[in-house]
Amino acid sequence: MLKIILPTIMLLPTALLSPAKSMWTNTTMYSLLIASISLHWLTPSYYPTKTLTLWTGMDQISTPLLVLSCWFLPLMIMASQGHLQHEPHKRKRMFISTLIIIQPFIILAFSATELMLFYISFEATLIPTLILITRWGNQPERLSAGIYLLFYTLISSLPLLVSILYLHTNTGTLHLPIIKLTHPNLPASWTSLLSSLALLMAFMVKAPLYGLHLWLPKAHVEAPIAGSMLLAALLLKLGGYGIMRVTLLMEPVSNFLHYPFLTLALWGALMTSSICLRQTDLKSLIAYSSVSHMGLVIAASMIQTQWSFSGAMILMISHGLTSSLLFCLANTNYERTHSRILILTRGLQPLLPLMSVWWLLANLTNMALPPTTNLMAELTIMVALFNWSSPTIILTGTATLLTASYTLYMLLSTQRGTLPSHITTTPNSNTREHLLMTLHIIPMLTLILKPELISGTPL
Amino acid sequence: MASGPSRTAAEEYRPNRYVSLPAELDPATYDTPLEKRRAEAERLAIRARLKRQYLLQLNTPKPPRVIEDPALLRWDYARTHNVYPTFRPTPKTSFLGAVFAIGPILFWIAAFKTERVSSAGGVEHQGAPGCKT
């Protein structure tokens, strides 16, 4: 554990002290090195937790997410080079160090075996994200997006703190493996209902559940590319991970909570997919598509079967890679046309032919075409939900149909059609961008061959 | 029984399903109320300003690499950001909003619940969640 956390912390002096010329190279290479070392976490083990220390440990649920978060740091650094190139050097340094500060907190949050440590690092990721959005966003609306992000998350996580403290006084410990062993003797009363609601709500906002999702499209639209990637790939997964951890604690979830949350998640998947069909803003479309996918994750982690958990895990990982890739693609368009409006960025295939290959691949994975892990995840989740109650197939089926249609709409409107007349010159797509897309695609394509790495089931 | 002066052919003419009423034959074309004309003039002024803004960018000696179309930005702003300030809550919209926001969720809760209860033989299963038998 420490052999990843310590180098990640030491990335900060690397970014602050390395000479101006080699700053990008140093940080990117160093974080890529950390990412490649973190791959050894994926080695199978018969123990329930790997690399167990006093406060941290990794099991099958947290391992793929940890590797994913280590993988994304070099990608985020690489993606932000484009829009930072006109900034003075000091600001580039500050931007990179803001990105790096989040990383240890995310790793801690995913690997903590102590609920309080988890809570603290969960909250600590909020501050650098807020800085990323409100300082580095492009438009004045970023301030209201920051306020939305901050207050939605804070208001929902104060009850979480209270109920964690209550759990501590009740059971005497917050150590997750020990809590799992204690018998859940919460009587069916309003207080236990409210406390489990409080435990869930913070993660439901973070995930986000439909109805509590309003901060997400705003934050995504206003954030710089690294912020969008971070939100889509890691912070939403923090919410899903929290739901999976917490629902294991309060087994069985009371029926009062089951039905509303499941229905909201499934109906929300349907609603947000249909919202996508009428979006004018490319980034907002991708943001709503992640709300719809995370709705499936929430529904799956609420019903708590083996199948649904492994479906939720696979969907979290593959959605993290896919949506981050889509945001990167949207950002390459944005850097060329300075507009995220779909009508203004249409018909780019003749201009950037190689980039449209990445668009095609990203959209096909987003709509869960057969060989991808997205399809495995969606099928697993749909089967688990169908077993829970058969009418869910109506909702999940319609959501899949809508997902395919809005993804095709996005692909066709960005790539095909006539070129808008206002684009006079377009810079070519460069090697950095292609490398960025390749580093997203490679894990997606290779995970198809061995999905049990990310399925959350013991190997 | 003397009826009034007979109606002219233009007045007799009614639009049918194949031919719509041409604007020249529509009396509303000639006596538009003052507010409507003012609104039209305002809209024309806005359009002219937007076009001028666009052409100024286009016709500079060194045009920028990407020329922003102010009309499109305005349209996008009206569609995404300006919806909520200009929304007017009336009893009808409030009622319909409540129905369409809460109604489907209650419906699906009821649907899932009845299905689960009926398939478990009338009693809702309280054991390990997710498994029905």
Side-chain angles (χ1 to χ4, degrees), chain A residues 255 259 263-264 267 278 280 303-304 336-338 341 343-344 387-392 422 424-425 427, chain B residues 54 64-68 72-73 75-76 79-81 104-105 108-109 112-113 115-116 124 126 129-130 132:
Chain A
N255 275 321
Y259 288 112
T263 320
L264 263 180
W267 181 250
R278 283 187 50 74
T280 54
I303 60 177
Q304 296 175 315
R336 286 177 174 74
T337 61
H338 295 282
I341 302 176
I343 298 178
L344 286 181
N387 176 51
W388 180 75
S389 167
S390 38
T392 52
H422 67 276
T424 48
T425 48
Chain B
Y54 182 73
R65 200 163 49 81
V66 173
I67 301 169
E68 283 185 346
L72 242 164
L73 293 185
W75 169 78
D76 182 64
R79 240 187 96 163
T80 52
H81 288 94
I105 290 168
W108 284 110
I109 288 178
F112 294 151
K113 184 137 183 138
E115 199 276 339
R116 272 175 70 80
E124 189 156 6
Q126 282 289 348
K132 271 198 249 180

Side-chain angles (χ1 to χ4, degrees), chain B residues 12-76:
Chain B
E12 279 294 323
Y13 179 79
R14 287 283 167 272
N16 55 45
R17 55 187 291 215
Y18 300 112
V19 186
S20 60
L21 186 68
E24 299 86 37
L25 294 184
D26 192 1
T29 314
Y30 302 105
D31 40 301
T32 44
L34 203 59
E35 301 97 61
K36 197 181 166 197
R37 273 200 226 167
R38 199 175 295 136
E40 271 176 5
E42 253 170 51
R43 261 176 255 148
L44 191 68
I46 291 172
R47 274 206 298 276
R49 272 203 300 274
L50 290 172
K51 187 168 182 182
R52 181 165 178 273
Q53 210 177 329
Y54 182 73
L55 287 178
L56 276 180
Q57 289 183 70
L58 188 69
N59 293 331
T60 46
K62 282 172 109 182
R65 200 163 49 81
V66 173
I67 301 169
E68 283 185 346
D69 187 353
L72 242 164
L73 293 185
R74 199 182 139 86
W75 169 78
D76 182 64

Side-chain angles (χ1 to χ4, degrees), chain A residues 238-394:
Chain A
L238 212 54
Y241 172 78
I243 293 174
M244 291 168 85
R245 278 274 180 258
V246 160
T247 46
L248 280 179
L249 296 185
M250 43 187 215
E251 219 169 357
V253 185
S254 143
N255 275 321
F256 287 109
L257 290 184
H258 236 123
Y259 288 112
F261 277 135
L262 264 160
T263 320
L264 263 180
L266 288 175
W267 181 250
L270 202 71
M271 291 311 284
T272 44
S273 322
S274 37
I275 287 172
C276 280
L277 286 173
R278 283 187 50 74
Q279 278 301 320
T280 54
D281 189 316
L282 184 55
K283 266 187 143 179
S284 168
L285 198 161
I286 306 171
Y288 271 110
S289 127
S290 29
V291 179
S292 123
H293 282 109
M294 288 308 284
L296 282 183
V297 171
I298 293 173
S301 40
M302 283 304 287
I303 60 177
Q304 296 175 315
T305 57
Q306 255 330 307
W307 271 61
S308 68
F309 269 150
S310 72
M313 274 312 299
I314 303 179
L315 189 57
M316 279 208 275
I317 301 294
S318 42
H319 169 259
L321 288 165
T322 312
S323 65
S324 164
L325 173 57
L326 281 174
F327 275 118
C328 285
L329 287 168
N331 184 58
T332 56
N333 279 3
Y334 179 73
E335 280 170 9
R336 286 177 174 74
T337 61
H338 295 282
S339 158
R340 297 180 311 259
I341 302 176
L342 274 169
I343 298 178
L344 286 181
T345 53
R346 65 186 192 268
L348 285 178
Q349 191 190 7
L351 288 187
L352 308 166
L354 202 48
M355 207 44 98
S356 73
V357 175
W358 301 123
W359 270 103
L360 182 68
L361 274 177
N363 281 307
L364 292 186
T365 46
N366 193 43
M367 73 167 107
L369 216 71
T372 54
T373 42
N374 300 52
L375 179 83
M376 292 181 207
E378 284 192 15
L379 279 186
T380 320
I381 289 175
M382 280 162 77
V383 167
L385 283 171
F386 185 70
N387 176 51
W388 180 75
S389 167
S390 38
T392 52
I393 197 75
I394 304 172

